Amino acid sequence: MTVTRQFIIAGLLILFTLIIIPLVVYITQVSQGGYGLKVSNKQIDFTWQDVEGRSHQFSDWQQGPTFLFMGFLSCSEICPIRIGQMLALDNWLDTQSYSNHAVRFLFITIDPQTDVPALRSQLIDDRSERFVSANMSLDELDKLQLVLREKVTRSDGMPNHAGNLYLFSSDTRLERIYTQWQLSIEKLQVDLIPLLPYKSVKYASK
């Protein structure tokens, strides 16, 4: 009887951990309007270059939402934190039956002279099919920073930046802005799930 009771208690604890707590987090977050800062859903577009030097429009990619952040690879503060958060989301997506193209993680360098294509490829693009690094002309980068209100300054030759994380829908509408350094991966997931395309779900073949 004692063993049976222990199994029941263990089962209830597992149920509570895996289902009840995430459900409560989801309901609370939705009722509060989401985790990140909700903005005016304005559409944003710009031109960027990949590690091969090919030009793209941000709006060309419409398979799913995009997490975007601007940084530089020699950064020792916010940039490694943001990359770690994106990796955690990438690992979570691998367990959720979504295709490799359901979400894009776009890193835009603010130090293109140092972040050469080979280095960006090694530290960003090669991490996952969902990871993409971008270079932009100074004019385009200035315009994007102005739209996002994240101005980059320089001190002793090193860039200083806020390191905000931005979540865009598949039609390039800015949905959320995350300004704090430490973010809850579970709460990021809740903001992301409504934006994921239904058609990206991979079903097991019968």
Side-chain angles (χ1 to χ4, degrees):
M1 193 71 177
T2 303
V3 174
T4 303
R5 184 179 301 171
Q6 289 176 344
F7 274 116
I8 293 173
I9 293 173
L12 290 174
L13 288 174
I14 292 172
L15 179 67
F16 185 77
T17 303
L18 297 181
I19 298 177
I20 304 301
I21 292 178
L23 183 61
V24 170
V25 170
Y26 177 82
I27 293 172
T28 302
Q29 190 168 330
V30 169
S31 67
Q32 293 176 349
Y35 181 44
L37 300 175
K38 186 68 175 175
V39 288
S40 59
N41 291 102
K42 57 185 175 183
Q43 287 183 293
I44 296 175
D45 203 9
F46 53 87
T47 303
W48 60 277
Q49 292 76 42
D50 61 25
V51 293
E52 302 295 334
R54 295 170 298 205
S55 291
H56 306 267
Q57 288 297 121
F58 183 59
S59 57
D60 288 344
W61 195 86
Q62 298 180 352
Q63 289 93 322
T66 297
F67 276 105
L68 179 151
F69 69 105
M70 294 181 285
F72 59 105
L73 296 176
S74 58
C75 167
S76 60
E77 297 180 344
I78 183 60
C79 298
I81 294 174
R82 289 286 182 251
I83 292 173
Q85 290 162 349
M86 298 303 94
L87 283 172
L89 282 172
D90 186 59
N91 292 334
W92 170 75
L93 284 165
D94 283 339
T95 70
Q96 299 301 307
S97 299
Y98 285 99
S99 76
N100 290 334
H101 305 290
V103 180
R104 173 175 61 172
F105 301 108
L106 182 62
F107 166 83
I108 299 177
T109 177
I110 59 173
D111 189 13
Q113 298 299 319
T114 303
D115 295 344
V116 295
L119 184 62
R120 284 168 32 218
S121 179
Q122 177 186 355
L123 298 181
I124 302 294
D125 299 69
D126 291 347
R127 289 180 178 270
S128 166
E129 290 187 50
R130 300 185 185 99
F131 275 62
V132 182
S133 68
N135 179 36
M136 298 175 64
S137 69
L138 292 179
D139 286 343
E140 285 280 336
L141 187 58
D142 284 343
K143 290 177 184 177
L144 181 60
Q145 291 168 2
L146 183 62
V147 169
L148 297 178
R149 299 179 181 178
E150 184 175 341
K151 185 61 180 175
V152 176
T153 61
R154 286 187 173 270
S155 177
D156 297 326
M158 295 292 291
N160 291 323
H161 66 118
N164 295 337
L165 180 65
Y166 304 91
L167 176 59
F168 290 84
S169 61
S170 59
D171 61 354
T172 72
R173 294 185 185 276
L174 180 57
E175 297 286 342
R176 302 280 177 182
I177 302 176
Y178 307 90
T179 59
Q180 62 267 48
W181 283 28
Q182 300 299 329
L183 295 171
S184 163
I185 302 303
E186 291 77 15
K187 292 182 178 180
L188 287 174
Q189 293 166 6
V190 174
D191 280 351
L192 175 62
I193 287 172
L195 303 178
L196 289 170
Y198 178 78
K199 64 181 180 180
S200 69
V201 179
K202 298 189 296 185
Y203 296 96
S205 56
K206 295 180 180 179

